[in-house]
Amino acid sequence: MSYQRRIMKELERLKTAPPNSHITLVEANDLETWQIDLEVNNDNPLYTGKTFRLQFIIGPNYPVESPQVQFMPLPARPIPIHPHIYSNGHICLDILGDEWTPVQTVASVCISLQSMLGSNDRDERPPDDERYIKHAPKNPKQTRFVYHDDTV
Amino acid sequence: MTDTDESSQFDEESYPSDGSLDYDSEDQDMEDSQFWEEDEEMEPSSDNFGAMSHSEAIQVDHTALAASSQRVLEPEDLLKGQAADVARVSELTALEPWRAELLLWKDDWKVDHVITKYLEQGEKVLREAGMLSDDPVEFVISKPRPDFMCFLCCDEDKATSFKLACGHECCTECYSHYLRGKIQENGSLDITCPMNCKEIVPKPAVMLLTDKKLQAKYQSTLCTRYVRAHNDMKWCPAPDCGKAVKANISVTDESVIPIAECNCHQQFCLACNIDEDHLPCPCKVAARWLEKLRDESETMTWMSVNTKPCPKCTNPIEKNGGCNHINCTQCGNHFCWVCLGDWAKHGSSNYQCNMYSPEQAEEDQKSVNAKREQLDRYMFFYTRYNNHRDSAKLDEKTYKNITKTMETLQKEGKMTWLESRFLPSSFEILRQSRQTLLWTYAFAFFLDAQPEREIFLKNQEDLELHTEGLSELFEYKWDRIPGAKVNFLDKCSYLKSRRQKLVEHVMKGMEERNWKFLN
Ligand SMILES: [Zn+2]
Ligand SMILES: [Zn+2]
Ligand SMILES: [Zn+2]
Ligand SMILES: [Zn+2]
Ligand SMILES: [Zn+2]
Ligand SMILES: [Zn+2]
Ligand SMILES: [Zn+2]
């Protein structure tokens, strides 16, 4: 598997030199599922003091295809309230779908999510949250998101 | 195209034996003759029975009457056809062949359209087709460089790398791996740069970075698209045949039924998706019939004695107890088994039909009778249609015995192999007649009352009678065959002309738009 080296490299870097102190690799037992703890790296009152758990599933075609990324609800790991994050942890973010390119990495996705949270001032879920989670597929990549206004 | 090119494609064998060559027409048909070189009269040399001697031969119409002009295309023919189109576009647009092919692929191989569009709109067309630059491109693998890092595997010390005009460079190992995945998922000229930009990976790049096996797969995906893009071409539906058939007549004309026959003997319609000879039924009528068969298959239980149709929805109801109160599971109708009337009118006091009113009963009976009549009518045609299908299956068994019979005749010194060649040919006539016969019942089912209908039914009856006659001859034991040869030949030539007559009668009516069908 040709891309394996890249995945190993990414993992190694994330372990030893994460982009900032608020991104922590918790576990990546196989190379396929990675658990990462994420905090905002500013003082946004909506999220300070909270830690969120991100799960990355790295498919066989990564990095040609995007990873499957979502927040996981755990004790002491809530799903962040955000107009682009559904209460089941699914995230509506263009770079995880159509706009994915292989130069993105797990770390760069974490940074994007960090800034998405850091810049948010709306304490609310997507307007279609209730409807979405009722019918949502297990894999958020199967959802054709109509990307919400990304100025939010 | 240069003169030397032209002469080189005629090898000696393709010159007529009398040495004459009509140069003018050769010149004119250049483009076409390369690809659609007219086939010689269909010679049944590809079957298991060796060459047919002309004196003994019963001429078999292999293809349907209206589709006598067809051409079976081997994979090489398809490649040649594509190459000829590419060459033509490339020549008239001065584009490199791979660009021409990409444009053709995008626009469903409409050669003239592609040329006009490019000449009118220029590079805009290239952009839309996924060619970001029109600079001349050389597809080469770059040597290792110290400053290069592959964005897919992040390796800095990789040997070689590759990039397209978009500049997204990755190592050849990753590129090949990426292409392999895409080709295995049936990608062809829609595979884009691994960076997820819009640049298409053109054929020469694919050839450079993949092995023979993948190239073959890639090429066959291209071929599939090529055939699908032409409405006068179709893949032979026989499993693993891999050939296609092209009609040399219009397949969109509703008054023709372009039944094709592949070299593997599979017959199929080029205008619809029925994979058999459905003459004399026009495609639409044949499709209606098949739909009817599907719809009615459930209703068939009607005919069984113990069932009655629900008077509301005609769902067959089986009475399995003494109670006359029937509750239809399909539509929820409550009705009385005896009179088929509404159960509510019977009152709730008893389970006997005591509401018998002659008027009501007569009316109910009428509606049931009408439905029954419709069904009886359908059953009439269906049974005959189906009977010929079953007989065709039995005939196949007969066919397997033919070779054996021929061997026995030879061994016993009764007939040479060549002399017994009429057996397989006769069988082909039988098979064809049955095939036509079964579809005549579908045709007749939808045929409205009209004077021509009587002629059609007469033709049908005649065809049926003589088909069974021929079928009987095949049941003879081998030692009776030599004596029956004349009989075989007579029956065959008669059947052949009867079938032809029947089909022509139908086709004539179609051309003149005379047939009136029931709704
Ligand atoms: Zn690489
Ligand atoms: Zn690119
Ligand atoms: Zn075939
Ligand atoms: Zn048809
Ligand atoms: Zn009852
Ligand atoms: Zn009913
Ligand atoms: Zn009754």
Side-chain angles (χ1 to χ4, degrees):
Chain A
M1 167 53 171
S2 166
Y3 311 140
Q4 192 112 356
R5 251 186 316 246
R6 141 108 182 228
I7 299 170
M8 306 263 277
K9 235 173 198 171
E10 274 197 51
L11 189 63
E12 195 52 38
R13 265 193 93 83
L14 205 57
K15 246 187 235 166
T16 56
N20 59 55
S21 61
H22 303 279
I23 295 172
T24 319
L25 179 75
V26 180
E27 114 181 16
N29 285 342
D30 45 17
L31 287 177
E32 211 185 290
T33 314
W34 303 12
Q35 308 288 341
I36 290 167
D37 271 348
L38 183 91
E39 294 158 2
V40 283
N41 61 345
N42 63 7
D43 52 4
N44 188 335
L46 284 175
Y47 308 111
T48 37
K50 288 182 182 137
T51 306
F52 308 107
R53 173 62 56 85
L54 273 171
Q55 176 182 273
F56 282 73
I57 296 180
I58 309 289
N61 279 325
Y62 178 87
V64 168
E65 279 165 25
S66 63
Q68 179 188 324
V69 187
Q70 69 179 100
F71 284 102
M72 299 298 277
L74 290 170
R77 296 285 182 275
I79 304 289
I81 309 243
H82 185 284
H84 294 177
I85 299 171
Y86 291 94
S87 48
N88 63 355
H90 288 190
I91 308 159
C92 168
L93 179 64
D94 55 2
I95 58 157
L96 296 178
D98 293 347
E99 295 303 311
W100 170 263
T101 71
V103 284
Q104 317 269 6
T105 60
V106 172
S108 75
V109 170
C110 287
I111 294 169
S112 298
L113 289 169
Q114 211 170 31
S115 83
M116 184 174 129
L117 293 179
S119 62
N120 176 42
D121 54 9
R122 281 163 55 184
D123 190 15
E124 57 194 49
R125 292 275 180 220
D128 57 340
D129 187 50
E130 215 173 303
R131 190 157 38 93
Y132 175 77
I133 60 167
K134 231 186 260 166
H135 306 287
K138 248 201 167 134
N139 175 359
K141 284 184 72 179
Q142 281 160 5
T143 302
R144 294 292 307 169
F145 286 114
V146 175
Y147 297 105
H148 299 113
D149 174 11
D150 53 13
T151 56
V152 181
Chain B
M1 205 177 274
T2 66
D3 282 340
T4 44
D5 277 340
E6 285 181 23
S7 53
S8 68
Q9 48 176 320
F10 293 104
D11 52 17
E12 277 173 321
E13 281 167 25
S14 59
Y15 283 93
S17 50
D18 62 355
S20 72
L21 242 189
D22 182 353
Y23 281 101
D24 279 340
S25 72
E26 277 312 342
D27 251 349
Q28 291 238 296
D29 298 330
M30 192 45 95
E31 256 346 293
D32 286 340
S33 63
Q34 231 179 328
F35 190 7
W36 313 126
E37 213 172 344
E38 267 321 308
D39 237 350
E40 308 213 323
E41 193 55 61
M42 182 93 161
E43 195 72 43
S45 54
S46 55
D47 63 22
N48 302 322
F49 300 99
M52 187 193 269
S53 103
H54 281 282
S55 55
E56 289 286 345
I58 297 163
Q59 283 298 307
V60 177
D61 286 322
H62 272 282
T63 50
L65 304 161
S68 52
S69 35
Q70 63 156 35
R71 168 101 157 91
V72 176
L73 304 172
E74 301 280 349
E76 308 86 78
D77 299 320
L78 291 167
L79 289 180
K80 268 193 231 160
Q82 291 171 62
D85 285 354
V86 169
R88 188 171 150 76
V89 172
S90 174
E91 192 183 312
L92 294 177
T93 57
L95 285 169
E96 293 129 294
W98 66 267
R99 291 189 197 271
E101 180 164 28
L102 197 39
L103 293 182
L104 281 165
W105 190 88
K106 284 270 166 188
D107 270 332
D108 282 339
W109 292 89
K110 294 191 191 81
V111 177
D112 292 346
H113 171 77
V114 165
I115 294 168
T116 320
K117 196 166 146 193
Y118 177 73
L119 295 179
E120 278 171 11
Q121 300 176 28
E123 38 184 82
K124 184 173 156 251
V125 180
L126 297 183
R127 302 289 166 276
E128 282 167 7
M131 289 169 266
L132 302 186
S133 144
D134 34 352
D135 296 339
V137 188
E138 264 187 87
F139 298 99
V140 284
I141 288 171
S142 304
K143 293 215 172 68
R145 299 189 315 274
D147 64 325
F148 166 71
M149 191 190 84
C150 170
F151 64 83
L152 284 178
C153 65
C154 295
D155 253 23
E156 286 146 57
D157 44 30
K158 258 298 157 55
T160 53
S161 63
F162 183 79
K163 64 167 187 262
L164 295 172
C166 61
H168 298 128
E169 186 170 11
C170 66
C171 75
T172 43
E173 195 188 326
C174 284
Y175 228 113
S176 302
H177 181 81
Y178 168 76
L179 290 175
R180 171 183 300 274
K182 290 291 175 189
I183 291 169
Q184 278 164 353
E185 289 164 18
N186 295 326
S188 60
L189 287 174
D190 50 354
I191 303 176
T192 53
C193 157
M195 187 59 155
N196 197 17
C197 81
K198 298 280 168 289
E199 182 85 2
I200 300 281
V201 186
K203 202 195 229 172
V206 172
M207 295 298 145
L208 191 64
L209 295 161
T210 52
D211 57 31
K212 283 252 151 25
K213 211 177 129 200
L214 277 178
Q215 289 172 8
K217 166 88 174 88
Y218 177 81
Q219 202 52 263
S220 94
T221 307
L222 267 176
C223 267
T224 303
R225 167 91 172 214
Y226 174 78
V227 171
R228 209 177 294 146
H230 291 82
N231 66 6
D232 57 351
M233 274 188 215
K234 218 167 140 183
W235 287 109
C236 168
D240 302 322
C241 172
K243 289 186 272 290
V245 175
K246 181 189 190 295
N248 292 336
I249 47 163
S250 162
V251 294
T252 45
D253 183 348
E254 280 194 23
S255 68
V256 297
I257 305 168
I259 303 299
E261 180 169 310
C262 182
N263 291 348
C264 74
H265 298 301
Q266 170 77 44
Q267 294 185 319
F268 54 100
C269 181
L270 290 171
C272 72
N273 54 14
I274 298 177
D275 290 337
E276 62 178 68
D277 175 1
H278 63 69
L279 281 170
C281 269
C283 297
K284 277 184 187 160
V285 176
R288 268 182 82 185
W289 173 252
L290 292 179
E291 197 182 326
K292 183 88 186 158
L293 290 190
R294 277 191 294 275
D295 291 351
E296 295 294 341
S297 66
E298 284 169 24
T299 324
M300 296 306 258
T301 31
W302 255 56
M303 298 312 282
S304 108
V305 249
N306 293 321
T307 62
K308 285 188 187 180
C310 164
K312 215 175 192 170
C313 72
T314 74
N315 181 35
I317 308 278
E318 196 172 351
K319 187 168 180 278
N320 48 15
C323 176
N324 285 326
H325 173 194
I326 306 293
N327 182 5
C328 171
T329 50
Q330 180 164 296
C331 72
N333 183 28
H334 290 262
F335 66 96
C336 166
W337 179 260
V338 180
C339 68
L340 297 176
D342 188 350
W343 185 258
K345 289 181 194 153
H346 288 63
S348 55
S349 56
N350 57 57
Y351 289 96
Q352 249 189 0
C353 176
N354 58 356
M355 289 283 290
Y356 191 80
S357 104
E359 301 82 36
Q360 185 60 40
E362 198 178 322
E363 204 163 292
D364 289 348
Q365 202 55 47
K366 245 188 229 158
S367 99
V368 172
N369 283 349
K371 281 178 185 134
R372 186 103 202 166
E373 211 169 274
Q374 269 175 30
L375 191 78
D376 284 348
R377 181 172 178 280
Y378 166 73
M379 284 308 293
F380 174 88
F381 291 96
Y382 172 77
T383 327
R384 280 152 188 80
Y385 167 88
N386 213 33
N387 177 39
H388 284 296
R389 273 233 185 269
D390 289 345
S391 300
K393 278 181 212 139
L394 289 176
D395 288 344
E396 288 303 325
K397 269 195 201 145
T398 311
Y399 182 67
K400 295 213 174 77
N401 287 329
I402 288 180
T403 320
K404 253 213 260 142
T405 307
M406 289 169 75
E407 277 162 4
T408 314
L409 287 169
Q410 202 180 4
K411 233 182 359 223
E412 300 289 326
K414 299 282 189 216
M415 266 185 154
T416 67
W417 189 262
L418 227 64
E419 282 170 332
S420 60
R421 280 280 311 147
F422 71 91
L423 283 171
S425 317
S426 306
F427 181 80
E428 181 56 24
I429 302 271
L430 174 65
R431 199 196 56 73
Q432 228 168 41
S433 305
R434 265 216 207 289
Q435 182 68 23
T436 303
L437 208 44
L438 68 91
W439 283 103
T440 60
Y441 285 102
F443 187 79
F445 177 77
F446 291 108
L447 210 50
D448 206 351
Q450 52 203 299
E452 292 296 312
R453 180 171 185 267
E454 302 315 311
I455 299 173
F456 176 79
L457 294 181
K458 205 105 210 91
N459 287 341
Q460 181 190 42
E461 191 189 331
D462 205 24
L463 185 65
E464 181 149 51
L465 188 70
H466 290 90
T467 301
E468 296 311 342
L470 179 59
S471 184
E472 265 165 43
L473 291 183
F474 274 102
E475 277 158 28
Y476 283 6
K477 245 188 92 194
W478 67 270
D479 56 350
R480 285 184 68 195
I481 297 285
K485 180 169 177 177
V486 178
N487 216 342
F488 266 101
L489 296 180
D490 282 354
K491 278 246 167 3
C492 282
S493 74
Y494 187 73
L495 256 185
K496 230 185 87 177
S497 79
R498 290 316 302 170
R499 173 176 176 268
Q500 183 137 349
K501 223 181 194 121
L502 182 142
V503 173
E504 272 168 6
H505 176 239
V506 171
M507 300 309 285
K508 187 164 167 283
M510 276 170 60
E511 263 161 52
E512 293 163 3
R513 304 193 186 282
N514 273 341
W515 294 113
K516 285 191 281 295
F517 296 107
L518 296 166
N519 288 321

